[in-house]
Amino acid sequence: MISILEKQYGTRSETRNKTRSKTRSEIANECLIPWYVIGLTAIICAATLVLIAFLGPIGQEIIQYRTSQSGVWQIAGQDLTNLVLIAPILLIGGILCLARRAGSKYLLILTPITLMYTGLSMGIGQEWSNSAYNGNIEDYWWLFEILIVGGLILLLGSLSMFTEADAPDFKLRGLRIYVGFMTVFFLLFAVMWISQIQQVTNTGDLPDGSYKAAPTAFWTIRYLDLAISIPLGFLALFLMLSKPKKAYSILLLFFGFFITIGTSVDMMAVVQVLNGDMEAVKEGLFIFPVLTFLSYGGLFYLVKDKLLQGVFKSSEIQLKDQITGKDYSRKKK
């Protein structure tokens, strides 16, 4: 009888030890990329965005972009967004990551796609073949390469920081209503761009003449939005309804892209309107702000439980709470 009890006790003890061992490995955040690389990359990308803005049209105007005046105003709006929103997210997220704080992943995952989108659109979208545009952006190609490579590192690193345990419980009724609204505006977004493409293919230009002024920028943005932004939007909505817990980190990644790029587009429109730019897309002045507002609402829905619980509670305490049912946070204070 004693030997049987000893075996049972030994088995339970081994199980606890294995659980504790697994917990420690999870606490260590065994992500695909070392935590210090992720943190330093985020800080470098933040500094790069600030430097680009300093050298650009809202700063010293040292970087001369090979695009139309409307394009320069749009770049100015993007630089403003980088300064007030994206760079601070990266800087705070990078510092928290270096400090081994669990909340860093909720910030870092918001930025990777936007960083890569920005670097690609800036490099590809210049009017390289048009001799009417003089510029020197090619001398600063390395700044935009930093954004692309940094976005890739943050993409792999931040996604691997999450587990299914991070996902909150979702109520399907509210999700369905939200997904319905987002679907309508994503469709309007797609229709707006497709109608412009049809105008260009049928007439050779847009009514305001903006296509002939910057055709490369036109096709770059339409290709990126129709091939990346809009498909990501529909994929995110599908995952919200079908597998929100399994796809939680991907949803954060997508909605981070929507709020950062959406805010950039809205700021571009503000700068264009303030400068009397007739090339500002009239339909976009309605569609983009609504999409941005809904994107912020979607992101809040995804993280509201974390905000209530305290995002920056350490991973170790969270895991211990889940396993034991006890509140270790009070003991550590």
Side-chain angles (χ1 to χ4, degrees):
M1 182 71 178
I2 294 175
S3 61
I4 293 173
L5 289 173
E6 286 177 348
K7 286 181 180 179
Q8 290 178 344
Y9 178 80
T11 302
R12 291 176 183 174
S13 179
E14 289 174 5
T15 303
R16 288 195 196 99
N17 289 335
K18 288 180 180 178
T19 303
R20 287 172 184 167
S21 177
K22 183 180 178 182
T23 301
R24 290 192 189 101
S25 67
E26 290 178 350
I27 292 169
N29 282 333
E30 292 180 351
C31 48
L32 295 175
I33 299 173
W35 57 271
Y36 52 86
V37 173
I38 298 172
L40 288 174
T41 299
I43 294 172
I44 290 171
C45 287
T48 302
L49 290 175
V50 173
L51 180 58
I52 290 172
F54 174 76
L55 297 174
I58 65 171
Q60 299 299 304
E61 297 185 336
I62 295 173
I63 298 179
Q64 300 295 320
Y65 294 95
R66 295 178 182 271
T67 189
S68 64
Q69 181 58 60
S70 176
V72 171
W73 284 330
Q74 292 175 56
I75 291 169
Q78 183 166 335
D79 286 345
L80 285 171
T81 305
N82 291 338
L83 285 177
V84 302
L85 178 65
I86 302 175
I89 288 175
L90 285 165
L91 181 61
I92 296 171
I95 293 172
L96 290 174
C97 186
L98 292 177
R100 308 299 300 278
R101 301 299 296 272
S104 64
K105 61 188 178 184
Y106 291 94
L107 294 173
L108 297 178
I109 202 166
L110 305 179
T111 59
I113 301 180
T114 299
L115 289 174
M116 292 187 284
Y117 185 104
T118 300
L120 290 170
S121 62
M122 287 296 189
I124 300 172
Q126 303 300 309
E127 306 303 322
W128 299 107
S129 61
N130 192 337
S131 59
Y133 296 117
N134 296 318
N136 62 357
I137 184 176
E138 59 271 18
D139 295 336
Y140 301 91
W141 64 272
W142 52 277
L143 289 173
F144 303 103
E145 285 291 325
I146 290 174
L147 298 183
I148 298 171
V149 175
L152 180 60
I153 293 172
L154 292 177
L155 174 67
L156 296 175
S158 59
L159 278 176
S160 62
M161 288 179 173
F162 287 86
T163 66
E164 282 192 39
D166 293 311
D169 293 324
F170 296 96
K171 296 180 180 179
L172 285 179
R173 183 178 179 182
L175 274 179
R176 291 191 183 104
I177 296 173
Y178 174 79
V179 167
F181 276 108
M182 284 290 284
T183 299
V184 170
F185 280 93
F186 272 124
L187 287 173
L188 290 175
F189 182 16
V191 169
M192 180 179 66
W193 269 184
I194 292 172
S195 66
Q196 286 193 347
I197 290 174
Q198 288 178 331
Q199 283 183 320
V200 168
T201 55
N202 292 333
T203 66
D205 201 355
L206 293 172
D208 58 9
S210 60
Y211 174 76
K212 286 187 176 179
T216 306
F218 174 90
W219 286 111
T220 299
I221 297 303
R222 272 61 180 182
Y223 265 97
L224 288 175
D225 283 343
L226 290 172
I228 297 178
S229 305
I230 295 172
L232 281 182
F234 285 121
L235 181 59
L237 296 179
F238 170 75
L239 291 174
M240 285 189 81
L241 287 180
S242 60
K243 299 178 181 179
K245 293 184 78 68
K246 284 188 176 182
Y248 182 63
S249 59
I250 298 176
L251 288 172
L252 289 175
L253 177 72
F254 290 172
F255 277 91
F257 171 60
F258 301 149
I259 68 164
T260 50
I261 203 69
T263 305
S264 294
V265 172
D266 294 338
M267 190 65 75
M268 291 177 194
V270 170
V271 174
Q272 286 179 280
V273 171
L274 290 177
N275 285 280
D277 185 6
M278 300 304 294
E279 294 183 17
V281 181
K282 305 301 185 294
E283 303 92 334
L285 296 177
F286 167 70
I287 294 174
F288 291 134
V290 174
L291 274 174
T292 306
F293 175 78
L294 290 174
S295 297
Y296 273 98
L299 180 64
F300 176 75
Y301 181 82
L302 291 172
V303 301
K304 61 182 175 62
D305 291 341
K306 301 297 178 182
L307 294 174
L308 293 174
Q309 295 170 5
V311 160
F312 301 117
K313 187 179 180 183
S314 71
S315 298
E316 181 179 3
I317 294 174
Q318 288 181 0
L319 289 167
K320 284 185 177 180
D321 288 349
Q322 292 169 5
I323 293 170
T324 64
K326 297 179 181 179
D327 190 355
Y328 282 84
S329 58
R330 294 180 182 177
K331 296 182 180 181
K332 292 225 170 188
K333 291 181 181 179

